[in-house]
Amino acid sequence: MYTLDIDTERPYRVLIGTLLLEQCGEIVREASGGSRALIVTDTNVGALYAAPVRRSLEEAGYETSVHVFEAGEEHKRAETYLAILEDAARHEMTRGDVIVALGGGVVGDVAGFAAATYMRGCHFVQVPTSLLAMVDSSVGGKTAIDLACGKNLVGAFWQPDVVIADVGCLATLEPDQFIDGCGEVVKHAVIADEELFCELEKTPLTRELLLADLSRVAYLIARNIDIKRAVVSADEREAGVRKLLNFGHSIGHAVEACSDFRLGHGACVAIGMVAMATACVRTGLCEPSVRDRIRALAAAHGLPTSCDFTADELYAAALHDKKRSGDAIDLVLPEGIGTCRIANVPLLEFKQLIALGIETEGSVEA
Ligand code: GLY
């Protein structure tokens, strides 16, 4: 098992290993205490894993209840959040009790926002079951729901008491969901770790690897969380260096919105990374080889690297991005593999970069 300590205002641990669901009750008891646990999950994950998690929590002495909502990004919204709060109140939860998020990024975000606001904040544990949630969204304390105008527009920073990542859960992920998580894996390597990038070039993180070598997958997940750990420990509230984690996200979120969320988040981040790298090549900010390697690594993981939306469509969607402030937006520009920098760019320039990033080789010289 890997154990990583996240050094935020309220420090906590991330555990990565196998057979952790069956032991989660004792882990939660030690990290959170309390007497009641509300397990929040969705219809897909609940059917598979709510029973063992509930059993373990009850064996550890918790009174438990399970709140299940319909799976899908379209349910990361106010009604779902309010229903969790109503359920917590109906079960007479106090702020000393614990909400356990069991699922992928949507479950973690909405359950975390409920925990951040129920009685002005109750205990919270993340049990990520998707690759994306394990390597990214369960760590770092970002919680949120979506509004009709855009993703994650309402939320709070609320760190969990512990994150329990049981890599055995990845075996039941749909192939597309597994691939989707790889978008954030490639991103971590580009922003911070050339060595990891080279390792992934040699052996990509695929479902085949998952079936052949679970301990290698656990190691790669721990490497990814270690990158996120360093960034979040240095800048919990995203005042500076944490913005690096948004590489590929400004265009990526726009692609997600333009696709009506039919494309997964990690897939959109991959498209966004390649577009931003292409724009950087075309403005002389990085070598073509940097873009080519990012594009090849994304493709080796089965991720898409381009989209059919126009620059105008993407720009209109990107205006709802939280990273915008006034007439400018913070962008992450790749200078090399493992080296990116943050730049505050006027919106007009951002629009030009989107156009340069998505236009095909024939229309603009690379
Ligand atoms: N997913 C980006 C962050 O946690 O900051």
XYZ file of all heavy atoms in Angstrom, residues 136 139 142 187 228 238 242 245-246 249, ligand 1:
93
model
N -6.882 12.580 -9.558
C -7.078 14.033 -9.569
C -8.141 14.521 -8.592
O -7.837 15.079 -7.544
C -7.417 14.490 -10.997
C -7.545 15.997 -11.114
O -6.965 16.700 -10.271
O -8.225 16.475 -12.035
N -8.356 14.365 -4.560
C -7.266 14.960 -3.774
C -7.245 16.466 -4.016
O -7.326 16.912 -5.158
C -5.911 14.340 -4.189
C -4.767 14.971 -3.404
C -5.934 12.840 -3.993
N -11.139 20.380 -3.847
C -12.096 21.149 -4.659
C -13.427 20.414 -4.679
O -13.472 19.211 -5.000
C -11.579 21.317 -6.090
C -10.525 22.384 -6.224
C -10.228 22.640 -7.699
C -9.194 23.736 -7.852
N -8.809 23.937 -9.261
N -1.586 14.856 -18.319
C -1.426 16.253 -17.879
C -0.390 16.369 -16.765
O 0.501 17.223 -16.816
C -2.772 16.800 -17.386
C -2.705 18.224 -16.863
C -3.909 18.574 -15.996
C -3.766 18.028 -14.576
N -4.904 18.387 -13.696
N 0.287 15.752 -7.597
C -0.793 16.618 -7.131
C -0.543 17.036 -5.677
O -0.807 18.175 -5.289
C -2.140 15.916 -7.289
C -3.287 16.813 -6.892
C -4.490 16.742 -7.751
C -5.423 17.891 -7.377
N -6.747 17.790 -7.877
N -5.186 27.751 -4.763
C -4.965 28.129 -6.171
C -4.676 29.622 -6.351
O -5.266 30.292 -7.190
C -6.171 27.711 -7.033
C -5.806 27.620 -8.509
C -6.884 26.973 -9.348
O -7.190 25.794 -9.101
O -7.410 27.660 -10.247
N -0.841 26.161 -8.154
C -1.906 25.173 -8.389
C -2.578 25.382 -9.748
O -3.169 24.457 -10.307
C -2.936 25.207 -7.245
C -3.978 24.102 -7.390
C -4.790 23.852 -6.150
N -5.758 22.799 -6.402
C -6.510 22.223 -5.483
N -6.417 22.610 -4.224
N -7.366 21.277 -5.814
N -2.253 22.943 -12.614
C -3.113 21.757 -12.773
C -4.228 22.008 -13.782
O -4.947 21.088 -14.165
C -3.723 21.353 -11.425
C -2.736 20.858 -10.357
C -3.445 20.657 -9.032
C -2.079 19.548 -10.797
N -4.376 23.272 -14.191
C -5.432 23.585 -15.175
C -4.937 23.480 -16.614
O -5.645 23.879 -17.548
C -5.972 25.005 -14.917
C -6.657 25.094 -13.569
O -7.253 24.129 -13.107
N -6.570 26.251 -12.921
N -7.264 22.766 -19.536
C -8.634 22.860 -19.051
C -9.429 24.028 -19.648
O -10.651 23.942 -19.733
C -8.664 22.964 -17.518
C -8.457 21.638 -16.840
N -7.325 20.874 -17.049
C -9.232 20.929 -15.975
C -7.403 19.759 -16.331
N -8.554 19.761 -15.680
N -8.139 19.481 -10.861
C -7.382 20.650 -10.631
C -7.164 20.946 -9.194
O -7.518 20.160 -8.336
O -6.642 21.987 -8.886
